[in-house]
């Protein structure tokens, strides 16, 4: 390093000599040379305190002096100097003996000039020493800087360590903890510095040398928690280690929760479809067979609409719990397949008799009055059973087949191959039925209603047919349920009312009855269709809507509201198939009815079973009390007609009078009735 002249000039110089003349001489020389800060003293005892007060850049020191010689001054300077401090002493001495020189060097002198001195030599040595001194000063400054940097770095690292959420620790080569961060103290409840690393873990824990692992950590109070950690050497090839670890209690809980959720239905807390697949297939594989029972509660889906999803969920859970109790003795595994389908799987059992017995336990236990949201609800329970391996060994197949058996049967039904053919036909019909209306395949036939006493036609009932290009005329008994299930019934029903209106335009004041499915009652389509037919000119008093008794009684409160709105338009309302639907009298009187139709099952037995006559009499009495008309259905014989007439029934319909006929035929009959011609 080159020292600038100005720096050199301002160097602090001390001259120490007991001889004042020497001091003065040197002072003069130095000032002459350009040095600006020169102090001269003759009492060597002042040197140390002056140097402490403000350090000199160079001290020109005589050796032989009274009170304190140069060697002693050097020793004292040495004592007070800071470590690494450079004691800038240039010895000026007349002694040239080696001993003196060595002693001076030993005490820290840096250089010598022999008196009497040569000016150029003294100046050159002073300059050299000042340069070295400057180097030392610079080095010391850099050291201080470096130390500050290191301290700052260390502080930052510590802050980072302490603010990390993970345990961070270091160990020495012997495996003892040397550094332990704040998270570590929080997680382990104590500072573990100084402890062997293994005390942090459950006994028997094997830690990897490097890499990561999931282990069980242990606190000094013996409580344990799961920890995920990674270990690495602190430096390459060294035996010290740094460990970063994380308390994964929460994550494990979450993982456990997720694992549980992945295999369970949260509503019923039963194994879900995925778990069931494994359970069933494993069970079938292990035991060589088994049976799958599917319980379906018809009407369960309506609960959601009526009470909301939360109530429906609660109900399903209640069903699941009940199922649990019912199947406790049967060694069955339970699950929730989804979509309201609950499932029981029994290993080993493959015989139909046991399947039927267990199915019945399930059915009879679930087919009961449930209390949902404080209201009593009766849901029709159906149980379908499929046996493995005869009906399949895959869970999906077994469940599908058991569900199919449940959906077609009443009570308990075991799957058989014919069911699948039935279902396939149902599906084919369903596909074709969707196109029936737009392909103009729906027809209406009209069955005359007659005055029993005279045989005079006083009305007709419209009965729907589906003219399928290949199947021919399809009975409504076959396709109306499909139309109801698929929702097609709304458009079919509206079409029927419109068509009946158009056909009836040519029939004077003849009354026309149209059948209405209960599924249509709460839809605006029905109301719209009735209003449209009235708007088109039909007298509402000529139109009558027939609703089956059992359908109305299923949801009587809603039916009352819908029927009242229809009745307000002036149309007549008939209860169809009366006597089969367990009407309560209380409800019947609240329905805004005009007509009761005595079901054909009673008419058929008239003259054979006395009970039927009694029922017919009872219905007639009831109708009279409620001021309703009665129409007897399915009159096939003169005996039926006679008994009915005697009982006081005025109106009826049946093959005895006419089968359902095309509209043109009704038109023709009306014409002949007017002209007096005999019916064809
Ligand atoms: P329903 O309303 O009780 O109609 C009476 C059924 O008895 C009709 O069967 C009719 O053809 C039949 N029938 C009439 N006289 C006799 C007889 O003397 N002996 C016997 N054994 N049967 C007789 P159909 O036409 O097959 O209709 C069956 C059911 O389909 C109807 O029963 C009705 O509930 C439903 N249905 C028919 N058309 C429609 C419709 O347009 N809409 C709705 N929603 N349902 C309809
Ligand atoms: Mg009818
Ligand atoms: Mg009927």
């Amino acid at each position: 390093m080159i020292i600038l002249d100005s720096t050199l000039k301002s160097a602090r110089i001390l001259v120490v000599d007991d001889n004042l003349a020497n001091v003065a001489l040197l002072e003069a020389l130095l000032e002459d040379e350009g040095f600006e800060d020169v102090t001269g003293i003759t009492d060597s005892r002042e040197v140390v305190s002056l140097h402490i007060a403000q350090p000199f850049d160079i001290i020109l020191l005589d050796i032989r002096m009274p009170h304190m010689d140069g060697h002693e001054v050097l020793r004292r300077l040495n004592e007070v100097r800071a470590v690494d401090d450079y004691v800038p002493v240039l010895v000026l001495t007349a002694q040239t003996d080696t001993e003196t020189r060595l002693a001076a060097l030993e005490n820290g002198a840096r250089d010598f000039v022999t008196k009497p001195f040569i000016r150029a030599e003294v100046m050159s040595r002073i300059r050299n020493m000042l340069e070295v001194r400057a180097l030392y000063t610079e080095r010391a400054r850099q050291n201080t800087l470096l130390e500050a940097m290191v301290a700052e770095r260390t502080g930052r690292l510590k802050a980072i360590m302490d603010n990390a959420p993970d345990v961070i620790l270091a160990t020495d080569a012997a495996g003892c903890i040397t550094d332990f961060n704040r998270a570590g103290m929080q997680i382990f409840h104590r500072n573990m510095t100084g402890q062997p690393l293994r005390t942090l873990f459950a006994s028997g824990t094997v830690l990897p040398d490097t890499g990561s692992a999931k282990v069980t950590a242990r606190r000094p109070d013996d409580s344990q928690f799961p920890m995920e950690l990674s270990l690495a050497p602190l430096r390459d090839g060294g035996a010290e280690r740094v460990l970063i670890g994380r308390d994964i209690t929460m994550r494990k809980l979450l993982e456990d929760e997720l694992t549980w959720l992945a295999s369970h239905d949260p509503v019923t807390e039963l194994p879900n479809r995925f778990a069931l697949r494994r359970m069933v297939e494993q069970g079938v594989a292990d035991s060589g067979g088994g049976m799958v029972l599917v319980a379906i509660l018809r009407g369960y889906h309506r609960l959601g609409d009526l009470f909301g999803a939360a109530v429906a969920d609660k109900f399903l859970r209640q069903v699941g719990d009940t199922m649990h109790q019912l199947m406790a003795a049967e060694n069955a595994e339970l699950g929730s397949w989804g979509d309201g389908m609950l499932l029981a799987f029994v290993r080993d059992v493959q015989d139909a008799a046991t399947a039927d017995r267990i199915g019945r336990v399930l059915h009879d236990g679930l087919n009961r009055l449930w209390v949902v949201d404080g209201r009593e609800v009766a849901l029709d329970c159906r149980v379908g059973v499929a046996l493995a391996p005869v009906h399949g060994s895959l869970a999906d197949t077994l469940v599908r087949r058991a569900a199919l058996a449940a959906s077609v049967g009443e009570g308990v039904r075991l799957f058989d191959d014919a069911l699948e053919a039935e279902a396939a036909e149902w599906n084919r019909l369903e596909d074709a039925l969707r196109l029936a209306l737009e392909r103009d395949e729906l027809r209406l036939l009209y069955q005359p209603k007659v005055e029993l006493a005279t045989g005079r036609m006083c009305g007709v009932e419209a009965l729907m047919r589906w003219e399928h290009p290949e199947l021919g005329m399809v009975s409504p008994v076959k396709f109306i349920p499909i139309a109801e299930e698929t929702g097609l019934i709304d458009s079919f029903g509206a079409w029927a009312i419109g068509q009946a209106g158009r056909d009836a335009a040519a029939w004077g004041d003849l009354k026309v009855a149209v059948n209405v499915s209960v599924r249509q009652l709460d839809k605006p389509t029905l109301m719209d269709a009735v209003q449209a037919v009235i708007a088109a000119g039909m007298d509402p008093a000529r139109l009558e809507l027939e609703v089956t008794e059992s359908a109305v009684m299923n949801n009587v409160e809603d039916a009352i509201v819908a029927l009242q709105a229809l009745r307000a338009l002036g149309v007549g309302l008939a209860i169809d198939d009366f006597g089969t639907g367990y009407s309560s009298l209380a409800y019947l009187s609240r329905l805004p009815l005009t007509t009761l139709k005595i079901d054909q099952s009673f008419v058929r037995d008239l003259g054979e079973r006395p009970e039927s006559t009694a029922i017919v009499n009872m219905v007639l009495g009831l109708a009279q009390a409620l001021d309703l008309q009665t129409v007897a259905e399915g009159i096939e014989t003169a005996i039926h007609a006679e008994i009915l007439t005697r009982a006081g029934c005025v109106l009826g319909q049946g093959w005895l009078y006419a089968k359902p006929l095309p509209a043109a035929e009704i038109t023709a009959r009306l014409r002949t009735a007017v002209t007096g011609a005999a019916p064809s």
Side-chain angles (χ1 to χ4, degrees):
M1 173 184 282
I2 289 150
I3 304 208
L4 297 174
D5 268 357
S6 60
T7 320
L8 206 64
K9 277 179 186 160
S10 58
R12 269 174 63 74
I13 301 175
L14 179 67
V15 179
V16 191
D17 201 317
D18 59 324
N19 185 333
L20 187 61
N22 280 346
V23 173
L25 173 67
L26 272 167
E27 270 181 329
L29 265 177
L30 289 164
E31 271 157 20
D32 189 39
E33 221 26 66
F35 289 106
E36 289 158 356
D37 189 354
V38 183
T39 310
I41 55 170
T42 50
D43 188 345
S44 56
R45 288 170 298 188
E46 292 170 11
V47 174
V48 172
S49 58
L50 280 174
H51 187 63
I52 288 170
Q54 201 179 352
F56 292 99
D57 293 313
I58 189 163
I59 300 170
L60 308 180
L61 185 67
D62 186 20
I63 290 293
R64 192 176 299 165
M65 287 179 291
H67 312 301
M68 189 186 284
D69 69 2
H71 294 301
E72 184 58 21
V73 173
L74 275 166
R75 266 193 296 277
R76 300 246 169 130
L77 279 174
N78 255 331
E79 273 165 21
V80 300
R81 78 180 173 120
V83 187
D84 267 0
D85 194 14
Y86 176 84
V87 185
V89 177
L90 175 63
V91 172
L92 297 169
T93 179
Q95 268 86 15
T96 52
D97 60 301
T98 322
E99 219 170 292
T100 307
R101 284 174 174 252
L102 279 177
L105 280 173
E106 230 157 69
N107 289 329
R110 299 287 165 182
D111 208 350
F112 290 92
V113 175
T114 316
K115 288 195 276 196
F117 48 74
I118 302 157
R119 176 184 170 146
E121 190 198 348
V122 175
M123 287 310 146
S124 146
R125 283 182 195 268
I126 287 173
R127 208 173 282 123
N128 285 346
M129 269 188 64
L130 282 174
E131 274 176 9
V132 173
R133 161 81 179 160
L135 279 172
Y136 263 88
T137 312
E138 176 63 12
R139 198 185 67 177
R141 196 182 63 82
Q142 279 186 2
N143 272 346
T144 317
L145 216 69
L146 215 65
E147 264 161 31
M149 269 166 68
V150 168
E152 210 251 348
R153 275 253 170 116
T154 315
R156 269 169 54 183
L157 265 173
K158 182 141 174 52
I160 291 170
M161 265 179 74
D162 279 344
N163 283 300
D166 296 342
V167 183
I168 303 177
L169 63 83
T171 66
D172 58 19
C176 278
I177 297 169
T178 53
D179 298 85
F180 202 67
N181 74 340
R182 198 182 302 153
M185 293 184 219
Q186 279 157 3
I187 290 169
F188 281 90
H189 302 169
R190 193 176 297 177
N191 189 346
M192 305 298 280
T193 308
Q195 303 288 325
L197 182 60
R198 67 184 143 72
T199 57
L200 298 190
F201 303 101
S203 58
T205 302
V206 181
L207 291 177
D209 209 26
T210 58
S212 49
K214 274 187 197 161
V215 297
T216 303
R218 187 186 58 190
R219 297 191 185 90
D221 66 4
D222 260 349
S223 61
Q224 302 192 335
F225 60 93
M227 177 181 258
E228 187 182 68
L229 58 79
S230 69
L231 266 163
L234 198 55
R235 52 192 126 232
D236 276 349
E240 302 113 298
R241 290 275 175 279
V242 56
L243 179 150
I244 299 179
R246 178 170 297 182
D247 178 356
I248 53 168
T249 307
M250 286 314 287
R251 202 178 74 195
K252 266 213 77 170
L253 282 177
L254 211 70
E255 268 173 17
D256 291 350
E257 171 92 1
L258 282 175
T259 316
W260 188 88
L261 272 177
S263 60
H264 286 80
D265 164 34
V267 171
T268 55
E269 296 190 357
L270 290 171
N272 67 7
R273 186 180 302 190
F274 303 102
L276 277 170
R277 280 204 188 103
R278 270 197 305 274
M279 186 194 285
V280 169
E281 280 162 25
Q282 192 61 50
V284 170
D286 288 350
S287 67
M291 66 175 190
V292 169
L293 297 105
V294 166
I296 294 175
L297 288 163
R298 301 200 62 203
Y300 159 73
H301 292 285
R302 276 184 59 96
L303 292 182
D305 302 339
L306 287 173
F307 304 107
V311 172
D313 282 357
K314 218 171 113 189
F315 167 72
L316 197 64
R317 195 195 169 105
Q318 197 186 337
V319 176
D321 291 348
T322 309
M323 202 161 152
H324 212 86
Q325 291 155 18
L326 293 170
M327 291 288 100
E330 305 295 347
N331 206 11
E333 294 163 277
L334 305 184
S336 169
W337 191 256
D339 214 21
M341 255 202 270
L342 296 177
L343 214 131
F345 172 66
V346 187
R347 287 165 190 250
D348 272 331
V349 181
Q350 293 176 52
D351 66 295
T354 314
D356 190 64
R357 185 188 61 75
I358 298 181
R360 222 149 274 289
V361 171
L362 196 57
H363 173 267
D364 296 350
L366 295 182
N367 201 41
R368 64 166 167 93
L369 217 55
W370 299 91
V371 178
V372 181
D373 208 23
R375 281 166 70 172
E376 285 189 330
V377 186
L379 295 179
D380 177 26
C381 171
R382 294 175 176 195
V383 175
V385 190
L387 301 176
V390 253
H391 299 145
S393 48
L394 289 178
D396 282 50
T397 313
L398 289 164
V399 172
R400 181 166 47 76
R401 293 184 152 178
L404 181 64
S407 68
V408 297
E410 303 269 306
V412 183
R413 182 142 179 199
L414 186 62
F415 173 82
D416 65 69
D417 292 336
L419 279 181
E420 225 145 32
E422 225 171 274
E425 191 196 305
W426 178 281
N427 279 338
R428 261 199 309 281
L429 273 185
E430 186 180 314
D431 290 343
L433 195 62
R434 286 180 196 283
L435 300 169
L437 195 56
E438 67 185 66
R439 288 187 177 161
D440 198 21
E441 292 170 353
L442 296 182
R443 308 279 174 262
L444 283 184
L445 297 182
Y446 297 90
Q447 181 174 45
K449 294 181 182 175
V450 301
E451 255 175 24
L452 298 183
T454 60
R456 191 182 69 89
M457 175 166 70
C458 58
V460 289
E461 175 182 5
L463 293 159
M464 202 184 285
R465 298 289 178 269
W466 173 23
E467 193 174 348
H468 189 275
E470 286 142 37
L471 302 170
M473 281 295 183
V474 183
S475 156
V477 179
K478 220 166 185 180
F479 73 82
I480 291 291
I482 304 179
E484 286 178 341
E485 195 123 313
T486 52
L488 287 168
I489 194 67
D490 289 318
S491 52
F492 284 21
W495 172 85
I497 290 167
Q499 186 60 39
R502 281 187 293 279
D503 288 340
W507 297 341
D509 60 0
L510 191 74
K511 286 191 163 192
V512 182
V514 179
N515 290 284
V516 168
S517 161
V518 75
R519 303 288 299 259
Q520 295 170 253
L521 281 186
D522 53 355
K523 304 281 176 9
T525 328
L526 175 63
M527 205 60 178
D528 292 348
V530 173
Q531 278 167 329
V533 93
I534 294 169
M538 185 164 188
D539 176 4
R542 288 180 59 207
L543 182 63
E544 190 168 58
L545 301 178
E546 296 188 5
V547 196
T548 58
E549 183 193 18
S550 51
V552 168
M553 288 309 147
N554 265 349
N555 188 2
V556 75
E557 294 295 341
D558 289 349
I560 289 174
V561 175
L563 293 176
Q564 270 164 350
L566 288 166
R567 186 74 190 98
L569 295 177
V571 302
L573 295 174
I575 286 284
D576 209 346
D577 303 345
F578 189 74
T580 59
Y582 317 106
S583 292
S584 104
L585 270 180
Y587 281 132
L588 203 60
S589 62
R590 286 177 59 200
L591 293 171
L593 301 176
T594 51
T595 308
L596 289 186
K597 295 191 75 179
I598 303 172
D599 188 63
Q600 41 184 286
S601 59
F602 306 116
V603 175
R604 194 189 305 132
D605 293 343
L606 285 175
E608 281 157 37
R609 292 179 63 223
E611 304 96 292
S612 291
T613 315
I615 289 172
V616 166
N617 277 319
M618 200 198 71
V619 174
L620 286 167
L622 190 65
Q624 204 173 22
L626 294 173
D627 197 20
L628 302 175
Q629 272 202 321
T630 34
V631 179
E633 293 182 287
I635 304 172
E636 292 181 355
T637 66
I639 298 170
H640 296 160
E642 202 195 305
I643 297 176
L644 284 163
T645 314
R646 238 190 291 132
C649 183
V650 182
L651 303 175
Q653 59 185 105
W655 295 345
L656 177 65
Y657 306 100
K659 291 207 166 180
L661 306 166
E665 187 70 23
I666 300 296
T667 310
R669 288 195 174 209
L670 280 171
R671 205 175 300 131
T672 52
V674 169
T675 56
S680 56

